[in-house]
Amino acid sequence: MTASTTIRRSDDTPAAEGLLRDAPLPPWLRPARLGVVLFAVLWMVSLLVDPNGYLSTDTGGKTAALVALERNGGADLDLGYWAEAHDPDGSLFPMFSTRHFDDGGWVNATTLPMLYVAAPLHQAGGMRAALVLPVLGSVAAALAAGALARRLARRQPEHAAAAATVVVGLAGPATVYALDFWEHSIGLALMGWAMVGVHDALERASRSGHLAAFAAGAGFGAAATMRQEALVYGFVAGLALLAIGWARNGPRIVTRGGAMVLGTLVPLAANAMLERAVLGSASRADRGFGTAAAAGSDLGLRVEEAFVTGFGSSGSLSVLAIVSGVFATAGLAGLGLAGGSDGRRRSVALVAVGFAPLVLSLLALGLRFVPGMVFATPLAGLGFAAMRRPAAADRAPLAVAIGAMPLVWAVQYTGGAGPQWAGRYILLSGFLLTVVAVSRFWADRREVVAGVAGLGLAVTLAGVAWTVQRADAFAGLSAELAAAPEPVLVFSDPFVSREAGPIVLDEQWLAAWTDERRALAGEVVVASGHDEFGYVNREREPDVPIFAGFRPVSERFIEVFDGYRFRVTTFVAEP
């Protein structure tokens, strides 16, 4: 093999080769068997979740789309709209983010591939069967973590790979996202394997290196059909490939960058053609351009939400939240940097102080979302320590993990930082930092990695319990609202009605969150032949508004959690 056809390994020395030797793994820790075990565990845990409740309102829209596919047959995603004759613009459509396509009808779907793959499963076994996809996504993400850790670890690579697989599969956000019909676990898996491709594109000989670069691009492109941030991560990964490869081998790396670009374009083009065939326009591309156009807007809000999703233990920014985030991050990174027992004790103390507000709030106030990457993925905090004197193989994953975060924060959707788990737009950063932490510290500081992983497992179990509790509570709320005696329900928030998923398809529901929409809602109720409706809002919201031509006659409350209730006010037409 000549220098003209080889991308040189950064650690290609006899000493390094010796470090790569590893004791054999027990059979059940090998990737194939470990993947089966992870699938079985996650699938059994998913059975605890009410299939009619979700972790996010986005899932309500996706499950409604699955039911529409089953009812309509073929590829038709049209949800229908009972009040279309009186509200042709859909101003009152009861599901947030529903778009009206001339060719596709009323569609509430941000991604098509996952829906079409899940449709046969849903028709065969309902939402329980459809959850096979996110569970498989989390298993695939865990196996990608193992594959990348095997490549990065200079000592005990097989053991580090097994540890990374278990940690990502059972003690991090991939565990939580396996339990909801959302594309996050699948997107994370695709991007995780794409980063394996980036590593191989830097390390392998000419032909296989070009194939690895193409595969990396295809992984990021396929992920981008489901997750907008994949384009940002793919862009930063491409820059890392070019910069690191150029420093090692000069301009020959450019052809691998071109292969990566080509790989990215293939799934994006295929998805655009699918959207045009089904909807009449490239919906995903339109969303991408809209997101990019919003970059930098609401700078103060973006900075706040960046901290919340990166380092926040709660959904609000306060002095306590900032202090706890700083202490937790500093302590976790310090565990990797500390050279002696005194340094480790100080780091452990910092971690304890940083996590104390989260633990106390969960015990005192009950389960809730943990939005910060560092708190829900604490091994990512340990991974920050690898930025000091990084090994050559660690540079690409660290560059992508750290370099992409500010760009993602600059373009991510705002207004939803609190109600999410582990900073869902920066999941790949947490994933990569976790893998680097395991591969870097497993051989020398196994007890530190195990302890931080145990902390992550505890937070993840709280996330699983929260998913179960939230799904059960909102499934009950949706069922009770569907059984309401009023012929029409008007919601103050289109996210709340979206929580009901496919129930919306069979109900006469509207969403009106402005004075203009509420006036229109009253007109639609009358035009549809009714003289009564129920107005649904949270108890903590301002007083029930006035609807011209109607008067309130009674109200009742539906409790979702302790201290969290919805009010249903019955309005009847004035005589």
Side-chain angles (χ1 to χ4, degrees), residues 288-320:
F289 289 133
T291 302
S297 62
D298 300 320
L299 183 59
L301 178 60
R302 288 189 181 278
V303 171
E304 177 180 339
E305 295 199 344
F307 185 90
V308 169
T309 56
F311 312 97
S313 61
S314 66
S316 60
L317 190 64
S318 63
V319 173
L320 178 61

Side-chain angles (χ1 to χ4, degrees), residues 249-423:
N249 296 277
R252 284 170 296 162
I253 197 67
V254 173
T255 57
R256 301 195 181 190
M260 185 173 175
V261 171
L262 181 60
T264 304
L265 293 177
V266 170
L268 290 177
N271 187 66
M273 289 188 288
L274 174 64
E275 290 182 341
R276 289 190 182 280
V278 175
L279 305 174
S281 69
S283 173
R284 195 73 188 170
D286 293 342
R287 284 170 56 87
F289 289 133
T291 302
S297 62
D298 300 320
L299 183 59
L301 178 60
R302 288 189 181 278
V303 171
E304 177 180 339
E305 295 199 344
F307 185 90
V308 169
T309 56
F311 312 97
S313 61
S314 66
S316 60
L317 190 64
S318 63
V319 173
L320 178 61
I322 294 173
V323 170
S324 65
V326 170
F327 275 40
T329 305
L332 290 167
L335 287 172
L337 297 173
S341 57
D342 289 342
R344 292 190 188 183
R345 280 195 293 269
R346 286 193 295 270
S347 297
V348 169
L350 285 174
V351 172
V353 172
F355 273 79
L358 172 62
V359 173
L360 293 175
S361 67
L362 290 175
L363 292 174
L365 304 177
L367 299 169
R368 56 174 173 77
F369 287 101
V370 178
M373 176 189 72
V374 166
F375 285 95
T377 319
L379 270 172
L382 183 62
F384 283 122
M387 294 173 62
R388 182 183 181 186
R389 298 174 185 171
D394 294 342
R395 289 171 186 163
L398 285 173
V400 174
I402 305 300
M405 280 195 291
L407 297 178
V408 172
W409 287 326
V411 300
Q412 71 182 9
Y413 293 105
T414 56
Q420 59 172 278
W421 190 266

